């Protein structure tokens, strides 16, 4: 008759797993994954190194006086009032178009307002593109790892984090219903 093995919840067939076995298994798995997926591994290490550098540098490198002057000079050339007025003009034109169209169709009167709305949208987009190009020039003067660059990335991260948190709360609410 067959001899039965004592029950082992780890399922290792009677052998005892030590911490050094787990460590060597993890390292060999990591090594084989790195060999198979070189791009992913390199990208991960690059990102991790970059994050560590940012953490060590604190809030980014301080701008020199000349960099700060050039950054402010370029940022001051952005005409925010023109962008605000273009946005207001587009919103008014779109409201006229929206209120002139019918439930199903858009007659000649509606088409007139639609063309005006599209023209105002194109003007607004051109002003925004010019402002974004100037902002990009200013940021290139400051640099990615400067106070400005790191601050913008930090603000972007926390903005995305907050929107993700809000999304999770909404989904949890719908799941609870």
């Amino acid at each position: 008759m067959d001899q039965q093995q004592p029950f082992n919840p780890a399922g290792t067939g009677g052998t005892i797993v030590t911490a050094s076995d787990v460590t060597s298994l993890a390292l060999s798995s990591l090594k084989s994954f790195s060999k198979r997926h070189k791009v992913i591994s390199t990208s991960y290490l690059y990102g991790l190194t970059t994050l560590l550098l940012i953490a060590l540098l604190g809030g980014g490198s301080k701008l020199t006086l000349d960099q700060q002057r050039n950054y402010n000079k370029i940022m001051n050339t952005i005409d925010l009032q023109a962008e605000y007025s273009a946005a207001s003009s587009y919103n008014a034109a779109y409201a006229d178009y929206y209120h002139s169209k019918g439930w199903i169709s858009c007659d000649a009167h509606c088409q007139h307002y639609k063309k005006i709305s599209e023209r105002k949208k194109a003007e607004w987009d051109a002003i925004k593109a010019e402002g974004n190009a100037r902002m990009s020039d200013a940021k290139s003067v400051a640099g990615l790892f400067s106070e400005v660059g790191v601050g913008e990335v930090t603000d972007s991260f926390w903005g995305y984090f907050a929107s993700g948190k809000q999304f999770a709360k909404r989904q949890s609410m719908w799941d609870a219903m």
Side-chain angles (χ1 to χ4, degrees):
M1 207 145 145
D2 292 341
Q3 292 240 345
Q4 287 186 337
Q5 292 283 342
F7 176 70
N8 187 348
T12 58
T15 60
I16 298 174
V17 179
T18 62
S20 65
D21 292 339
V22 173
T23 305
S24 64
L25 176 66
L27 288 176
S28 67
S29 298
L30 182 65
K31 185 177 178 182
S32 65
F33 180 85
S34 297
K35 285 182 179 179
R36 281 192 318 254
H37 305 286
K38 292 179 179 158
V39 174
I40 293 172
S41 302
T42 305
S43 300
Y44 177 77
L45 289 175
Y46 177 74
L48 190 61
T49 305
T50 304
L51 288 175
L52 286 173
L53 283 174
I54 290 173
L56 291 175
L57 293 174
S61 61
K62 189 144 179 75
L63 294 176
T64 64
L65 187 60
D66 190 39
Q67 285 176 323
Q68 185 72 35
R69 192 177 310 122
N70 286 338
Y71 176 80
N72 288 335
K73 187 172 101 175
I74 295 171
M75 288 298 281
N76 287 336
T77 62
I78 298 172
D79 192 4
L80 294 176
Q81 187 58 42
E83 188 172 340
Y84 293 147
S85 63
S88 297
S89 177
Y90 165 70
N91 288 328
Y94 183 79
D96 291 341
Y97 160 65
Y98 181 80
H99 291 297
S100 68
K101 69 179 180 176
W103 188 47
I104 296 174
S105 66
C106 187
D107 60 0
H109 183 70
C110 170
Q111 289 294 327
H112 171 72
Y113 283 121
K114 183 178 179 181
K115 288 178 185 174
I116 292 173
S117 174
E118 290 171 350
R119 190 182 75 235
K120 297 290 185 180
K121 175 77 170 147
E123 290 173 5
W124 183 32
D125 288 343
I127 291 172
K128 279 197 304 188
E130 181 183 344
N132 287 340
R134 289 183 183 179
M135 208 176 308
S136 177
D137 291 342
K139 289 176 188 174
S140 69
V141 167
L144 180 62
F145 293 108
S146 67
E147 295 170 325
V148 175
V150 172
E152 184 177 341
V153 170
T154 303
D155 292 343
S156 175
F157 170 79
W158 286 114
Y160 284 120
F161 180 80
S163 67
K165 195 164 84 171
Q166 288 291 353
F167 176 76
K169 284 181 182 178
R170 282 194 309 271
Q171 293 307 311
S172 297
M173 182 190 71
W174 282 108
D175 288 343
M177 292 177 125

